[in-house]
Amino acid sequence: MNRGYFITIEGGEGAGKTSLITRLVNTLQEKGMSVVATREPGGIPIAEKIRTVILDTEHTMMDARTEALLYAASRRQHLVEKVIPALEEGKIVICDRFVDSSLAYQGHARGLGMDDVWAINQFAIKDTMPMLTVFMDVTPEVGLARISQAGDREINRLDLELHSFHERVREGYQLLLSQYPERIELVNAELEREEVFQAVLSIVERRLKEVM
Ligand code: TYD
C-alpha cells in the first residue's frame, strides 16, 4: 500500500502551474515535509523521449488516438519509475498534470470521448489515482496572453491549436470537477499570483491535515 500523498495540479495553458509548483514544494519542504515534484508528460528519461515525440511541432499528422496512447504510455512509465516508489517511501508527490489532462485534452477537446480515454488510462495507471487534484482555472484569453507575454516558454504542438480547442479543454476540466467533487478542488488562477498561491497552499495543508 502507498503511504505517501499524491497531488496533481491541472489546468489549461498559461494557468501558472509550473511556477506555483516550485513555490509550493519549497514551502512544504521548509515546513519539514518530504516532497517530490515531477511533471507529465516526462519526469524520467523514457517519458521525456515520448514527450518530444508528442509535442514536436512537425508532427502535425499525429492521429488523436496515437496521441492519447502516447500520453498513457508515458504516464505508465513515469508512474512505475518515479511516482509509486516515492509514494511507497511515504513522500508527498506533486505532479504537474496527470490523467485529467488526457480526459480534458484528448477525451473532451479532441473529441475521443472521456470514457474511451479513461479506459486506456485505467489500463495504464491501474488503481493509482491522486488523492487531491487542484484545477487552476483560467480562461484561454488570459492563459494564452500570459504565454505570449512571457516569451520564454517554447511553443509546443498543442499550443498551436485554435482558441476553440482551449475552450473545450476548459469545458473538459469543468466536467471533471462536477464528476469528482471530492477529489478535485477549484482555484481561480486569474487572481494575483500571491492570492493563487495562498489558495492552493491552504487547500493542500487542509487535505494533508486530514490524513496526518
Ligand atoms: P507542457 O509544455 O508541459 O505544457 P504546460 O506547461 O501547459 O503543462 O506541455 C504539455 C502539453 O501536453 C500541454 O499542452 C497539455 C498536453 N497534455 C495532453 O494533451 N494530455 C495529457 O495527458 C498531458 C499530460 C498533457
Side-chain angles (χ1 to χ4, degrees), residues 36-68:
V36 172
T38 190
R39 69 160 184 182
E40 276 206 1
I44 45 136
I46 293 175
E48 290 288 344
K49 280 192 184 160
I50 300 175
R51 176 192 176 90
T52 62
V53 174
I54 302 175
L55 296 178
D56 191 329
T57 48
E58 284 183 10
H59 292 173
T60 50
M61 75 298 279
M62 188 180 288
D63 173 71
R65 283 171 186 256
T66 306
E67 181 181 282

mmCIF file of all heavy atoms in Angstrom, residues 36-68:
data_model
loop_
_atom_site.group_PDB
_atom_site.id
_atom_site.type_symbol
_atom_site.label_atom_id
_atom_site.label_comp_id
_atom_site.label_asym_id
_atom_site.label_seq_id
_atom_site.Cartn_x
_atom_site.Cartn_y
_atom_site.Cartn_z
ATOM 1 N N VAL A 36 8.340 15.397 -3.520
ATOM 2 C CA VAL A 36 8.927 15.181 -4.839
ATOM 3 C C VAL A 36 8.047 15.908 -5.849
ATOM 4 O O VAL A 36 6.833 15.723 -5.860
ATOM 5 C CB VAL A 36 8.929 13.668 -5.190
ATOM 6 C CG1 VAL A 36 9.348 13.453 -6.639
ATOM 7 C CG2 VAL A 36 9.838 12.895 -4.258
ATOM 8 N N ALA A 37 8.688 16.739 -6.683
ATOM 9 C CA ALA A 37 7.926 17.425 -7.737
ATOM 10 C C ALA A 37 8.254 16.777 -9.065
ATOM 11 O O ALA A 37 9.411 16.470 -9.346
ATOM 12 C CB ALA A 37 8.284 18.895 -7.780
ATOM 13 N N THR A 38 7.256 16.548 -9.878
ATOM 14 C CA THR A 38 7.514 15.961 -11.183
ATOM 15 C C THR A 38 6.474 16.470 -12.181
ATOM 16 O O THR A 38 5.618 17.275 -11.818
ATOM 17 C CB THR A 38 7.560 14.416 -11.070
ATOM 18 O OG1 THR A 38 8.035 13.885 -12.301
ATOM 19 C CG2 THR A 38 6.208 13.823 -10.718
ATOM 20 N N ARG A 39 6.606 16.033 -13.435
ATOM 21 C CA ARG A 39 5.669 16.552 -14.429
ATOM 22 C C ARG A 39 5.344 15.503 -15.476
ATOM 23 O O ARG A 39 6.090 14.544 -15.685
ATOM 24 C CB ARG A 39 6.272 17.763 -15.138
ATOM 25 C CG ARG A 39 7.446 17.380 -16.027
ATOM 26 C CD ARG A 39 7.719 18.430 -17.065
ATOM 27 N NE ARG A 39 8.779 18.015 -17.982
ATOM 28 C CZ ARG A 39 9.233 18.769 -18.954
ATOM 29 N NH1 ARG A 39 8.756 19.970 -19.142
ATOM 30 N NH2 ARG A 39 10.179 18.321 -19.768
ATOM 31 N N GLU A 40 4.223 15.738 -16.127
ATOM 32 C CA GLU A 40 3.828 14.918 -17.265
ATOM 33 C C GLU A 40 3.619 15.814 -18.468
ATOM 34 O O GLU A 40 3.173 16.958 -18.289
ATOM 35 C CB GLU A 40 2.498 14.233 -16.967
ATOM 36 C CG GLU A 40 2.625 12.972 -16.197
ATOM 37 C CD GLU A 40 1.443 12.058 -16.475
ATOM 38 O OE1 GLU A 40 0.567 12.418 -17.270
ATOM 39 O OE2 GLU A 40 1.406 10.992 -15.900
ATOM 40 N N PRO A 41 3.795 15.375 -19.688
ATOM 41 C CA PRO A 41 4.465 14.123 -19.995
ATOM 42 C C PRO A 41 5.957 14.293 -19.775
ATOM 43 O O PRO A 41 6.518 15.289 -20.191
ATOM 44 C CB PRO A 41 4.139 13.914 -21.477
ATOM 45 C CG PRO A 41 3.914 15.295 -22.014
ATOM 46 C CD PRO A 41 3.389 16.116 -20.887
ATOM 47 N N GLY A 42 6.576 13.386 -19.069
ATOM 48 C CA GLY A 42 8.016 13.454 -18.840
ATOM 49 C C GLY A 42 8.370 12.986 -17.457
ATOM 50 O O GLY A 42 7.773 12.063 -16.940
ATOM 51 N N GLY A 43 9.350 13.647 -16.852
ATOM 52 C CA GLY A 43 9.719 13.341 -15.470
ATOM 53 C C GLY A 43 10.802 12.286 -15.328
ATOM 54 O O GLY A 43 11.466 12.225 -14.301
ATOM 55 N N ILE A 44 10.990 11.442 -16.344
ATOM 56 C CA ILE A 44 12.066 10.439 -16.350
ATOM 57 C C ILE A 44 12.484 10.248 -17.816
ATOM 58 O O ILE A 44 11.711 10.581 -18.713
ATOM 59 C CB ILE A 44 11.588 9.076 -15.778
ATOM 60 C CG1 ILE A 44 10.227 8.692 -16.358
ATOM 61 C CG2 ILE A 44 11.537 9.053 -14.260
ATOM 62 C CD1 ILE A 44 10.149 7.291 -16.769
ATOM 63 N N PRO A 45 13.686 9.693 -18.102
ATOM 64 C CA PRO A 45 14.182 9.670 -19.490
ATOM 65 C C PRO A 45 13.235 9.063 -20.534
ATOM 66 O O PRO A 45 13.015 9.660 -21.587
ATOM 67 C CB PRO A 45 15.491 8.877 -19.390
ATOM 68 C CG PRO A 45 15.959 9.136 -17.995
ATOM 69 C CD PRO A 45 14.720 9.220 -17.148
ATOM 70 N N ILE A 46 12.637 7.888 -20.249
ATOM 71 C CA ILE A 46 11.768 7.266 -21.271
ATOM 72 C C ILE A 46 10.562 8.175 -21.546
ATOM 73 O O ILE A 46 10.182 8.418 -22.697
ATOM 74 C CB ILE A 46 11.304 5.859 -20.832
ATOM 75 C CG1 ILE A 46 12.502 4.901 -20.774
ATOM 76 C CG2 ILE A 46 10.232 5.312 -21.782
ATOM 77 C CD1 ILE A 46 12.173 3.508 -20.223
ATOM 78 N N ALA A 47 9.972 8.698 -20.479
ATOM 79 C CA ALA A 47 8.793 9.548 -20.639
ATOM 80 C C ALA A 47 9.154 10.877 -21.312
ATOM 81 O O ALA A 47 8.365 11.425 -22.092
ATOM 82 C CB ALA A 47 8.125 9.771 -19.294
ATOM 83 N N GLU A 48 10.364 11.392 -21.032
ATOM 84 C CA GLU A 48 10.788 12.640 -21.699
ATOM 85 C C GLU A 48 10.945 12.409 -23.203
ATOM 86 O O GLU A 48 10.638 13.279 -24.007
ATOM 87 C CB GLU A 48 12.121 13.168 -21.111
ATOM 88 C CG GLU A 48 12.034 13.707 -19.686
ATOM 89 C CD GLU A 48 11.294 15.055 -19.545
ATOM 90 O OE1 GLU A 48 11.082 15.753 -20.554
ATOM 91 O OE2 GLU A 48 10.905 15.389 -18.406
ATOM 92 N N LYS A 49 11.416 11.198 -23.577
ATOM 93 C CA LYS A 49 11.556 10.901 -25.014
ATOM 94 C C LYS A 49 10.193 10.836 -25.672
ATOM 95 O O LYS A 49 9.993 11.330 -26.782
ATOM 96 C CB LYS A 49 12.309 9.580 -25.223
ATOM 97 C CG LYS A 49 13.797 9.745 -25.081
ATOM 98 C CD LYS A 49 14.549 8.517 -25.558
ATOM 99 C CE LYS A 49 16.038 8.713 -25.303
ATOM 100 N NZ LYS A 49 16.774 7.461 -25.279
ATOM 101 N N ILE A 50 9.240 10.199 -24.979
ATOM 102 C CA ILE A 50 7.881 10.129 -25.535
ATOM 103 C C ILE A 50 7.328 11.553 -25.663
ATOM 104 O O ILE A 50 6.680 11.898 -26.650
ATOM 105 C CB ILE A 50 6.950 9.244 -24.670
ATOM 106 C CG1 ILE A 50 7.501 7.814 -24.582
ATOM 107 C CG2 ILE A 50 5.526 9.238 -25.225
ATOM 108 C CD1 ILE A 50 6.721 6.881 -23.645
ATOM 109 N N ARG A 51 7.639 12.390 -24.668
ATOM 110 C CA ARG A 51 7.179 13.783 -24.684
ATOM 111 C C ARG A 51 7.650 14.524 -25.943
ATOM 112 O O ARG A 51 6.874 15.239 -26.572
ATOM 113 C CB ARG A 51 7.716 14.492 -23.434
ATOM 114 C CG ARG A 51 7.397 15.971 -23.378
ATOM 115 C CD ARG A 51 8.222 16.662 -22.273
ATOM 116 N NE ARG A 51 7.992 18.086 -22.294
ATOM 117 C CZ ARG A 51 7.045 18.686 -21.598
ATOM 118 N NH1 ARG A 51 6.260 17.993 -20.825
ATOM 119 N NH2 ARG A 51 6.874 19.987 -21.679
ATOM 120 N N THR A 52 8.919 14.315 -26.324
ATOM 121 C CA THR A 52 9.422 15.046 -27.502
ATOM 122 C C THR A 52 8.704 14.586 -28.768
ATOM 123 O O THR A 52 8.464 15.378 -29.661
ATOM 124 C CB THR A 52 10.958 14.915 -27.681
ATOM 125 O OG1 THR A 52 11.261 13.543 -27.889
ATOM 126 C CG2 THR A 52 11.728 15.441 -26.504
ATOM 127 N N VAL A 53 8.330 13.310 -28.812
ATOM 128 C CA VAL A 53 7.581 12.810 -29.984
ATOM 129 C C VAL A 53 6.186 13.447 -30.013
ATOM 130 O O VAL A 53 5.726 13.926 -31.045
ATOM 131 C CB VAL A 53 7.462 11.263 -29.946
ATOM 132 C CG1 VAL A 53 6.555 10.765 -31.069
ATOM 133 C CG2 VAL A 53 8.833 10.609 -30.027
ATOM 134 N N ILE A 54 5.532 13.476 -28.855
ATOM 135 C CA ILE A 54 4.157 14.013 -28.809
ATOM 136 C C ILE A 54 4.130 15.499 -29.152
ATOM 137 O O ILE A 54 3.276 15.961 -29.909
ATOM 138 C CB ILE A 54 3.526 13.861 -27.399
ATOM 139 C CG1 ILE A 54 3.495 12.412 -26.924
ATOM 140 C CG2 ILE A 54 2.107 14.414 -27.408
ATOM 141 C CD1 ILE A 54 2.991 12.254 -25.467
ATOM 142 N N LEU A 55 5.063 16.255 -28.566
ATOM 143 C CA LEU A 55 4.946 17.721 -28.641
ATOM 144 C C LEU A 55 5.689 18.352 -29.831
ATOM 145 O O LEU A 55 5.605 19.555 -30.041
ATOM 146 C CB LEU A 55 5.407 18.351 -27.325
ATOM 147 C CG LEU A 55 4.556 17.980 -26.096
ATOM 148 C CD1 LEU A 55 5.122 18.620 -24.827
ATOM 149 C CD2 LEU A 55 3.097 18.377 -26.274
ATOM 150 N N ASP A 56 6.381 17.529 -30.626
ATOM 151 C CA ASP A 56 7.124 18.040 -31.780
ATOM 152 C C ASP A 56 6.177 18.782 -32.731
ATOM 153 O O ASP A 56 5.196 18.222 -33.230
ATOM 154 C CB ASP A 56 7.760 16.829 -32.500
ATOM 155 C CG ASP A 56 8.768 17.262 -33.552
ATOM 156 O OD1 ASP A 56 8.585 18.341 -34.146
ATOM 157 O OD2 ASP A 56 9.724 16.504 -33.781
ATOM 158 N N THR A 57 6.489 20.056 -32.995
ATOM 159 C CA THR A 57 5.588 20.861 -33.843
ATOM 160 C C THR A 57 5.557 20.349 -35.295
ATOM 161 O O THR A 57 4.690 20.740 -36.067
ATOM 162 C CB THR A 57 6.008 22.348 -33.848
ATOM 163 O OG1 THR A 57 7.409 22.417 -34.076
ATOM 164 C CG2 THR A 57 5.670 23.034 -32.538
ATOM 165 N N GLU A 58 6.516 19.482 -35.652
ATOM 166 C CA GLU A 58 6.492 18.916 -37.015
ATOM 167 C C GLU A 58 5.500 17.761 -37.131
ATOM 168 O O GLU A 58 5.134 17.365 -38.232
ATOM 169 C CB GLU A 58 7.892 18.411 -37.399
ATOM 170 C CG GLU A 58 8.822 19.554 -37.747
ATOM 171 C CD GLU A 58 10.185 19.080 -38.196
ATOM 172 O OE1 GLU A 58 10.364 17.863 -38.419
ATOM 173 O OE2 GLU A 58 11.059 19.943 -38.309
ATOM 174 N N HIS A 59 5.064 17.217 -36.010
ATOM 175 C CA HIS A 59 4.189 16.046 -36.047
ATOM 176 C C HIS A 59 2.711 16.412 -36.171
ATOM 177 O O HIS A 59 1.863 15.902 -35.445
ATOM 178 C CB HIS A 59 4.419 15.174 -34.803
ATOM 179 C CG HIS A 59 5.770 14.525 -34.779
ATOM 180 N ND1 HIS A 59 6.248 13.817 -33.709
ATOM 181 C CD2 HIS A 59 6.749 14.480 -35.723
ATOM 182 C CE1 HIS A 59 7.472 13.371 -33.988
ATOM 183 N NE2 HIS A 59 7.791 13.773 -35.201
ATOM 184 N N THR A 60 2.422 17.264 -37.160
ATOM 185 C CA THR A 60 1.034 17.728 -37.322
ATOM 186 C C THR A 60 0.107 16.604 -37.796
ATOM 187 O O THR A 60 -1.103 16.712 -37.692
ATOM 188 C CB THR A 60 0.957 18.887 -38.336
ATOM 189 O OG1 THR A 60 1.667 18.477 -39.494
ATOM 190 C CG2 THR A 60 1.563 20.162 -37.771
ATOM 191 N N MET A 61 0.692 15.525 -38.335
ATOM 192 C CA MET A 61 -0.154 14.417 -38.838
ATOM 193 C C MET A 61 -0.493 13.413 -37.752
ATOM 194 O O MET A 61 -1.151 12.412 -38.010
ATOM 195 C CB MET A 61 0.519 13.707 -40.034
ATOM 196 C CG MET A 61 1.682 12.784 -39.702
ATOM 197 S SD MET A 61 3.080 13.634 -38.924
ATOM 198 C CE MET A 61 3.897 14.335 -40.359
ATOM 199 N N MET A 62 -0.102 13.682 -36.510
ATOM 200 C CA MET A 62 -0.340 12.677 -35.472
ATOM 201 C C MET A 62 -1.833 12.455 -35.224
ATOM 202 O O MET A 62 -2.596 13.388 -35.000
ATOM 203 C CB MET A 62 0.347 13.048 -34.155
ATOM 204 C CG MET A 62 0.259 11.894 -33.144
ATOM 205 S SD MET A 62 1.043 12.262 -31.570
ATOM 206 C CE MET A 62 2.763 12.207 -32.021
ATOM 207 N N ASP A 63 -2.218 11.182 -35.277
ATOM 208 C CA ASP A 63 -3.603 10.784 -35.053
ATOM 209 C C ASP A 63 -3.969 10.996 -33.581
ATOM 210 O O ASP A 63 -3.134 10.805 -32.689
ATOM 211 C CB ASP A 63 -3.713 9.296 -35.432
ATOM 212 C CG ASP A 63 -5.061 8.721 -35.087
ATOM 213 O OD1 ASP A 63 -6.033 9.087 -35.771
ATOM 214 O OD2 ASP A 63 -5.157 7.920 -34.129
ATOM 215 N N ALA A 64 -5.224 11.368 -33.329
ATOM 216 C CA ALA A 64 -5.662 11.684 -31.959
ATOM 217 C C ALA A 64 -5.538 10.480 -31.029
ATOM 218 O O ALA A 64 -5.173 10.616 -29.861
ATOM 219 C CB ALA A 64 -7.090 12.198 -31.983
ATOM 220 N N ARG A 65 -5.837 9.276 -31.555
ATOM 221 C CA ARG A 65 -5.721 8.084 -30.701
ATOM 222 C C ARG A 65 -4.261 7.765 -30.403
ATOM 223 O O ARG A 65 -3.917 7.315 -29.313
ATOM 224 C CB ARG A 65 -6.407 6.880 -31.358
ATOM 225 C CG ARG A 65 -7.915 6.957 -31.211
ATOM 226 C CD ARG A 65 -8.635 5.912 -32.032
ATOM 227 N NE ARG A 65 -10.053 6.171 -31.940
ATOM 228 C CZ ARG A 65 -10.907 5.465 -31.185
ATOM 229 N NH1 ARG A 65 -10.487 4.421 -30.513
ATOM 230 N NH2 ARG A 65 -12.170 5.798 -31.130
ATOM 231 N N THR A 66 -3.399 7.993 -31.409
ATOM 232 C CA THR A 66 -1.962 7.791 -31.187
ATOM 233 C C THR A 66 -1.507 8.722 -30.062
ATOM 234 O O THR A 66 -0.782 8.309 -29.142
ATOM 235 C CB THR A 66 -1.166 8.119 -32.473
ATOM 236 O OG1 THR A 66 -1.709 7.358 -33.543
ATOM 237 C CG2 THR A 66 0.314 7.841 -32.312
ATOM 238 N N GLU A 67 -1.956 9.962 -30.155
ATOM 239 C CA GLU A 67 -1.592 10.961 -29.142
ATOM 240 C C GLU A 67 -2.032 10.492 -27.746
ATOM 241 O O GLU A 67 -1.248 10.513 -26.792
ATOM 242 C CB GLU A 67 -2.265 12.286 -29.504
ATOM 243 C CG GLU A 67 -1.954 13.433 -28.562
ATOM 244 C CD GLU A 67 -2.688 14.708 -28.982
ATOM 245 O OE1 GLU A 67 -2.229 15.369 -29.924
ATOM 246 O OE2 GLU A 67 -3.728 15.026 -28.372
ATOM 247 N N ALA A 68 -3.278 10.028 -27.649
ATOM 248 C CA ALA A 68 -3.803 9.585 -26.346
ATOM 249 C C ALA A 68 -3.017 8.387 -25.817
ATOM 250 O O ALA A 68 -2.716 8.299 -24.621
ATOM 251 C CB ALA A 68 -5.290 9.238 -26.480
#
